[in-house]
Amino acid sequence: MNPPPLNHRSLLSLSLITLLVVAPHFARLDPRISLAFFAVVLLRVTSLYRPHLRLGRWLLLGITLASAALILSLYPLLMGLPAKVALLSLMMGLKLMECRRRRDLYVVVFLGYFTLITHFLFDQGMLQVAYVVVMVIALSGLLIEAGRTESHSGWPLHSLRLAAGMTAQALPVMLVLFFLFPRLNGPLWNLGVDNSTGQTGLSDSITLGSISRLIRSRAVAFRVDFDQAMPAPPLRYWRGPVLWHTDGRRWGRADLPKTALVSYRSDAPPVSYQVTLEPSPNDWLYALDLPETLPAEASLLADFQITAKDIRQRRYRYSASSRLQYHTGSLSERQRRLGLQLPDTVTPRMRALVSRWRAESADDRQLVNRALQFFRNEPFHYTLNPPLLETNPVDQFLFDSRRGFCEHYATSFTLLMRLAGIPARVVTGYQGGERNPLGNYLIVRQSDAHAWSEVWLEQSGWTRIDPTAAVAPERIERTFEFDLQENTAPGSPVIFSAGDHDLLNRLAKQFGLGLDAANASWHRWILGYSSQQQQRLLQLLGFGSLSAFKLALTMVLAVAALVPLLILLMRWRDRDRPDPVQRDYGKFCRRLARKGIARLSHEGPQDFARRVIRQRPDLQRPVSAIIDLYIALRYGAEDDPKQQRRLRQLVRNFRA
């Protein structure tokens, strides 16, 4: 005997839940895959109400072959996560198309469970976890409903409530496994997969326009927790790649040796902080100018750039300290040659400009100030959309367009200093950052990407010079927001906003800061829960340092003790708890007792009802309705949540 087919309500619920399970992948997959999956689900839902549209076996085979051809055309070798997720999603949609009986529903539900796991390959954020938990409850509720011998009129609330309760009961076991499972040297959630999709960040080289494209992203680059007062915005220069070589258009790094010693001197107090770096494809770290102490696995190059191994494509947290005033000492011959290298694009009017500055200056420091005065007094503009520069971008920028972004000013200033015989280099990184008062930490976004120049002066060694500050001091002195509208006219200056006076925008910003604070805590304590944090937790609990074997044994014993304890606790909780029908009947009897008609201990509901009606004929109708419904629910085959709610309403409205 074949099992009965699924009803429309179960199939419609399965179709909608399947769509929601796959929905977060739509932004990661090729639009044609998303459209094909949506079309399959829509066709399945339509066939529920239009049976003549139900597809036969041969049409299903044709759709399956077309789906396979689509995937192979987009991902010929099925390499990479998007290809595998696309295949899994379409497989689940095609299985939904032929879903007729309970066995088919089980297959689709378990495919849904597996698909939910794949979301964590792309995103392990707090909102993603909450969404997956909701979908797990929805799939479990559907599984509970499908397992019933008879359809329950309380679906979906009754089954969803039961599924949520089962999920909550598993929470203690999950916490024990999470905190005691032996950790690797890194977060447990780092699965070693490629997370580069959609990521952005600084490169190890720049061309004119590269940073102005990056600044349009509001994605978080890293967050910083300070051990003392947060430095003022003009001091928040986060040092990244240092660029030496140039061909006139592109600037790149030099091959410098790594050093274990920090070769500068400073009388300024150290600033200590912890950085949580978001996943990126790069192998360098960021620190305030100049770094003093570094994480153990990091190395410092001779130009004070920090590099580290095995940090690509994963969230990385490290501690560092810096000195904000310094003297770097003497200059090596190799760095002098690198700092004076000139491209073939130097023009006579560039040389004439520098010669005039040299004639007007007594020393290198005065020449630097004369160059900054040139950028400050001439009609230069700070813009996200500079005009296109052709064969000789520095010359055209300095004398013709005079409109550019930070990389225009930093690279042109550095080249002019080299023409003057002053060693100079370009430093890229981030400048500024937004303080989040809810967590008292600094948020540094991709839109804070910046480039500046360093010149070597006899009095101070390598000295930071930011020509952008001469043109747009608002960019450096305070935390401002840019007007990042894509339709800004070419060459138009950047609009700075000192604050937002609109109530809705302020509320939206506060909400965003609150969400970022919650995400920062999630990343620090959940996703960043490493072996070091686990050992610190065990020491706080008095267990000291346990080996991986002892830790695994402790976890198994804790779960073995916890599961029976939870079962006993639930049985004890339900021991004296009456069912809803009995509880409502007791409330009905107590109301009558307050009017002098108390139910006798040996009296059944029918006898009690007859006695009540004899004493109070005016109560015949409500008493009969309550007693008849109570008997049907308590002793009969009736088990309908709607009738239970009706009994509760009758008792609530009963007045003696």
Side-chain angles (χ1 to χ4, degrees):
M1 180 178 178
N2 291 329
L6 294 170
N7 56 36
H8 282 198
R9 185 176 60 187
S10 297
L11 288 172
L12 178 61
S13 301
L14 179 63
S15 301
L16 295 179
I17 293 174
T18 300
L19 180 63
L20 292 175
V21 164
V22 181
H25 281 316
F26 288 166
R28 304 160 187 150
L29 300 177
D30 188 280
R32 286 165 286 187
I33 296 292
S34 302
L35 184 62
F37 177 83
F38 184 80
V40 167
V41 176
L42 181 62
L43 184 59
R44 185 68 181 99
V45 173
T46 305
S47 66
L48 297 178
Y49 300 95
R50 297 288 188 272
H52 62 278
L53 296 177
R54 188 173 298 168
L55 302 181
R57 182 171 300 178
W58 291 107
L59 281 177
L60 285 174
L61 177 61
I63 294 177
T64 302
L65 294 176
S67 301
L70 176 62
I71 291 177
L72 291 175
S73 65
L74 297 174
Y75 312 103
L77 300 179
L78 291 179
M79 298 294 291
L81 285 177
K84 298 175 177 61
V85 170
L87 180 61
L88 177 63
S89 301
L90 280 185
M91 283 171 55
M92 187 164 61
L94 293 171
K95 184 60 183 177
L96 178 67
M97 287 286 293
E98 65 170 11
C99 188
R100 299 285 187 271
R101 303 188 183 279
R102 189 179 300 170
R103 179 182 57 190
D104 301 323
L105 182 141
Y106 291 158
V107 174
V108 176
V109 167
F110 282 104
L111 280 175
Y113 284 134
F114 192 82
T115 303
L116 287 176
I117 298 175
T118 63
H119 293 307
F120 293 130
L121 301 177
F122 299 91
D123 180 17
Q124 300 106 37
M126 184 176 58
L127 294 180
Q128 182 71 74
V129 172
Y131 185 83
V132 168
V133 170
V134 171
M135 289 296 100
V136 165
I137 293 175
L139 287 171
S140 301
L142 190 60
L143 204 59
I144 291 170
E145 184 65 20
R148 295 182 184 274
T149 56
E150 295 182 0
S151 179
H152 201 289
S153 60
W155 165 258
L157 294 180
H158 185 272
S159 297
L160 290 177
R161 186 163 53 245
L162 184 57
M166 295 171 62
T167 304
Q169 292 167 14
L171 185 62
V173 177
M174 182 204 71
L175 292 176
V176 169
L177 294 176
F178 178 81
F179 287 109
L180 295 183
F181 192 89
R183 299 291 166 137
L184 304 175
N185 290 325
L188 178 66
W189 293 72
N190 181 29
L191 303 178
V193 296
D194 181 11
N195 291 322
S196 62
T197 304
Q199 292 175 350
T200 183
L202 287 176
S203 173
D204 59 354
S205 65
I206 61 171
T207 55
L208 296 186
S210 58
I211 295 183
S212 60
R213 290 191 296 270
L214 176 62
I215 201 173
R216 298 182 184 277
S217 170
R218 295 292 293 170
V220 175
F222 53 89
R223 299 177 177 88
V224 189
D225 297 279
F226 287 91
D227 294 342
Q228 59 273 95
M230 194 176 295
L235 300 177
R236 299 176 195 162
Y237 280 84
W238 301 95
R239 190 181 192 88
V242 181
L243 312 180
W244 297 82
H245 292 295
T246 180
D247 59 4
R249 294 188 64 89
R250 180 182 178 275
W251 287 75
R253 297 163 65 186
D255 185 16
L256 294 177
K258 297 179 181 179
T259 176
L261 300 176
V262 179
S263 57
Y264 70 87
R265 60 182 184 271
S266 173
D267 296 328
V271 178
S272 301
Y273 48 90
Q274 295 79 42
V275 179
T276 304
L277 186 65
E278 291 296 303
S280 76
N282 305 319
D283 59 356
W284 54 78
L285 306 179
Y286 298 95
L288 287 172
D289 264 347
L290 279 175
E292 182 181 49
T293 61
L294 310 174
E297 58 272 21
S299 301
L300 189 68
L301 301 182
D303 54 10
F304 304 107
Q305 180 183 341
I306 308 172
T307 61
K309 295 181 179 179
D310 302 326
I311 65 169
R312 295 183 178 183
Q313 312 302 353
R314 71 182 181 98
R315 187 171 286 100
Y316 181 68
R317 183 172 174 84
Y318 58 94
S319 298
S321 66
S322 301
R323 306 268 185 165
L324 304 187
Q325 288 86 34
Y326 46 83
H327 189 299
T328 61
S330 60
L331 185 67
S332 69
E333 187 59 33
R334 173 173 169 76
Q335 289 198 23
R336 181 179 294 276
R337 289 198 310 270
L338 290 172
L340 293 175
Q341 178 257 331
L342 292 171
D344 297 333
T345 56
V346 177
T347 61
R349 55 180 177 176
M350 293 169 62
R351 295 185 183 276
L353 178 66
V354 173
S355 297
R356 187 169 68 250
W357 290 349
R358 177 58 74 184
E360 297 171 354
S361 305
D363 55 20
D364 290 348
R365 169 64 74 175
Q366 288 190 8
L367 190 144
V368 170
N369 293 334
R370 181 67 183 84
L372 291 176
Q373 184 181 4
F374 168 76
F375 283 105
R376 186 180 300 113
N377 296 338
E378 295 296 321
F380 285 94
H381 297 282
Y382 184 73
T383 176
L384 290 178
N385 294 287
L388 183 64
L389 303 177
E390 298 176 354
T391 56
N392 198 331
V394 175
D395 180 85
Q396 291 175 295
F397 167 70
L398 287 172
F399 301 104
D400 299 328
S401 71
R402 293 187 171 181
R403 295 176 182 270
F405 198 60
C406 62
E407 66 263 36
H408 293 77
Y409 294 100
T411 56
S412 60
F413 179 88
T414 301
L415 196 55
L416 292 174
M417 292 301 100
R418 291 183 175 186
L419 275 173
I422 302 175
R425 60 195 184 191
V426 176
V427 183
T428 60
Y430 297 88
Q431 199 286 323
E434 179 183 15
R435 176 180 173 270
N436 189 336
L438 300 179
N440 196 29
Y441 63 91
L442 193 70
I443 306 172
V444 180
R445 304 182 187 276
Q446 299 295 352
S447 55
D448 296 315
H450 195 55
W452 58 94
S453 180
E454 281 185 340
V455 298
W456 191 87
L457 302 175
E458 188 70 35
Q459 305 90 339
S460 56
W462 285 108
T463 304
R464 180 176 64 241
I465 305 294
D466 192 350
T468 302
V471 179
E474 303 96 331
R475 168 65 182 87
I476 309 301
E477 294 174 359
R478 293 180 59 184
T479 301
F480 279 79
E481 292 187 359
F482 298 105
D483 181 6
L484 300 179
Q485 298 297 324
E486 293 289 342
N487 56 359
T488 304
S492 59
V494 167
I495 299 174
F496 293 94
S497 174
D500 203 333
H501 303 289
D502 184 78
L503 177 61
L504 292 178
N505 288 340
R506 288 202 306 270
L507 291 176
K509 184 174 182 179
Q510 288 298 318
F511 176 78
L513 290 175
L515 187 61
D516 188 86
N519 272 322
S521 299
W522 174 265
H523 292 314
R524 185 179 303 122
W525 301 113
I526 304 300
L527 301 184
Y529 184 65
S530 61
S531 58
Q532 293 81 7
Q533 290 177 309
Q534 187 179 58
Q535 291 299 328
R536 287 197 295 267
L537 175 64
L538 291 174
Q539 290 176 357
L540 289 175
L541 296 177
F543 291 102
S545 180
L546 297 178
S547 64
F549 174 77
K550 292 181 179 179
L551 191 59
L553 183 61
T554 302
M555 177 189 67
V556 172
L557 294 176
V559 172
L562 183 61
V563 171
L565 182 62
L566 290 174
I567 294 174
L568 291 175
L569 181 62
M570 288 185 291
R571 290 178 65 87
W572 178 83
R573 185 194 61 181
D574 296 336
R575 182 185 59 180
D576 297 325
R577 177 181 294 180
D579 62 73
V581 174
Q582 189 70 13
R583 183 178 62 244
D584 293 333
Y585 180 65
K587 184 177 180 181
F588 166 71
C589 294
R590 288 192 296 273
R591 288 193 174 184
L592 285 170
R594 286 196 294 268
K595 298 301 180 180
I597 312 176
R599 184 177 67 88
L600 302 178
S601 59
H602 64 274
E603 205 167 22
Q606 288 183 338
D607 293 337
F608 181 49
R610 285 194 290 267
R611 185 161 64 85
V612 171
I613 293 171
R614 284 198 305 269
Q615 296 183 32
R616 293 288 301 272
D618 56 307
L619 299 179
Q620 179 177 0
R621 171 178 278 181
V623 169
S624 298
I626 291 174
I627 294 299
D628 291 344
L629 186 54
Y630 167 70
I631 291 173
L633 290 170
R634 178 67 173 168
Y635 304 107
E638 185 70 51
D639 186 21
D640 190 343
K642 287 185 177 180
Q643 296 301 323
Q644 292 180 8
R645 290 193 294 271
R646 180 168 172 262
L647 175 63
R648 186 176 305 115
Q649 189 65 34
L650 289 174
V651 173
R652 185 181 295 120
N653 296 335
F654 177 73
R655 297 292 182 270

